[in-house]
Amino acid sequence: MKHARQKIREAVEGQLSGIQSAIIYRSRAYKVIDMPAICVQIDSESSEDEAGEMVNPRRYSRVANMRIQVIIEAIDNYDDLADDYAAQVETLIDLDRTFGGTAVDAYLYQTDTTFDGSGEKPFVKCDISYRVWYRTRANDPESNING
């Protein structure tokens, strides 16, 4: 069984599979060795009772903060390369902001780029953040009710 968030992450991973030469991960916890890499994760989420009163089962309107992190080796013009990957991510996400019907909508709200030269290979992380709106029932968080 899969929570609705997991279905969203899997759908996003599938949408981004068109990016050439990048390894795509969902919620990676270990150090990235092979670059370029793209990590898809949901960092936090807020939810609200849609009815605002006692309805059984409750319906939740959820907004997930999804981060798509592009990690590239910091070579010459790494900021341009990070922007190239960001453009690909943004284009592919915009093709289907419902991620195959797993969400109602998604929109880009922030992009952050950071440099880290402390390891064996210097690298750049470009965090592309989206807010993803989806809906579930309280008694069935595995089923999206986005229609």
Side-chain angles (χ1 to χ4, degrees):
M1 301 220 150
K2 298 178 182 181
H3 193 284
R5 281 187 302 272
Q6 181 178 350
K7 293 176 186 178
I8 291 168
R9 286 191 307 267
E10 288 174 352
V12 170
E13 178 184 23
Q15 266 181 243
L16 297 178
S17 65
I19 296 177
Q20 298 298 315
S21 75
I23 301 168
I24 301 174
Y25 300 99
R26 280 178 286 128
S27 305
R28 185 166 177 82
Y30 297 102
K31 180 178 165 183
V32 172
I33 296 171
D34 297 320
M35 293 181 251
I38 297 174
C39 303
V40 178
Q41 56 197 62
I42 293 178
D43 295 327
S44 63
E45 176 181 284
S46 60
S47 59
E48 187 174 302
D49 183 356
E50 287 185 350
E53 58 187 57
M54 295 299 291
V55 175
N56 197 11
R58 291 182 185 266
R59 290 183 310 274
Y60 292 131
S61 180
R62 300 173 178 245
V63 177
N65 294 311
M66 179 178 68
R67 179 167 37 118
I68 300 170
Q69 187 173 71
V70 177
I71 304 167
I72 58 172
E73 191 171 347
I75 52 176
D76 292 338
N77 301 318
Y78 61 82
D79 50 349
D80 292 342
L81 185 57
D83 284 339
D84 289 345
Y85 277 102
Q88 291 180 68
V89 167
E90 291 175 33
T91 299
L92 289 171
I93 293 296
D94 197 58
L95 289 175
D96 180 8
R97 292 184 314 269
T98 70
F99 312 123
T102 60
V104 176
D105 195 14
Y107 68 91
L108 174 71
Y109 76 93
Q110 185 170 339
T111 302
D112 294 304
T113 303
T114 56
F115 173 81
D116 188 334
S118 63
E120 283 181 30
K121 295 180 182 178
F123 62 92
V124 171
K125 289 192 272 186
C126 181
D127 293 338
I128 307 157
S129 300
Y130 285 84
R131 291 224 161 83
V132 180
W133 174 36
Y134 70 104
R135 300 167 61 228
T136 63
R137 289 182 181 80
N139 65 349
D140 188 9
E142 297 166 340
S143 298
N144 307 67
I145 54 168
N146 298 317

